[in-house]
Amino acid sequence: RYHDASVIVMYNPFDRLTMEQVFANVSSSHSSRQRPLRVAYANCVHDDCLHNLGWLQRVDEWAPFSVGGFPFRISFWKST
């Protein structure tokens, strides 16, 4: 399902439980087919879910209003 994904862009699309389930699927896909993976997560309410995976590393974060007046924080992640 996610085996071809190399970039995932999200705008706080899920509640915590759904986020954990989606990234459990992404984790399974990534472990069966290792590849570079990047995630951009805007309005990152549940970014601790990404941190807790252990195989994604936060590489950058933009503060609210720092880019084009966008009012929410954006976190950027990559696979390790």
Side-chain angles (χ1 to χ4, degrees):
R1 190 180 202 172
Y2 301 100
H3 63 276
D4 289 329
S6 59
V7 176
I8 298 173
V9 178
M10 302 180 306
Y11 182 87
N12 192 32
F14 311 115
D15 61 22
R16 177 176 297 281
L17 179 61
T18 303
M19 181 79 153
E20 289 171 345
Q21 292 169 340
V22 166
F23 273 91
N25 291 337
V26 172
S27 292
S28 176
S29 167
H30 188 265
S31 65
S32 68
R33 184 172 171 262
Q34 293 284 315
R35 64 204 178 276
L37 181 67
R38 303 231 185 243
V39 178
Y41 181 20
N43 191 17
C44 41
V45 175
H46 306 299
D47 63 345
D48 60 310
C49 294
L50 302 181
H51 174 76
N52 293 339
L53 292 170
W55 59 271
L56 283 175
Q57 172 187 4
R58 186 184 344 229
V59 293
D60 202 358
E61 184 175 302
W62 295 349
F65 299 103
S66 65
V67 178
F70 188 72
F72 301 103
R73 186 170 55 99
I74 306 171
S75 61
F76 298 89
W77 302 77
K78 72 173 186 172
S79 56
T80 57

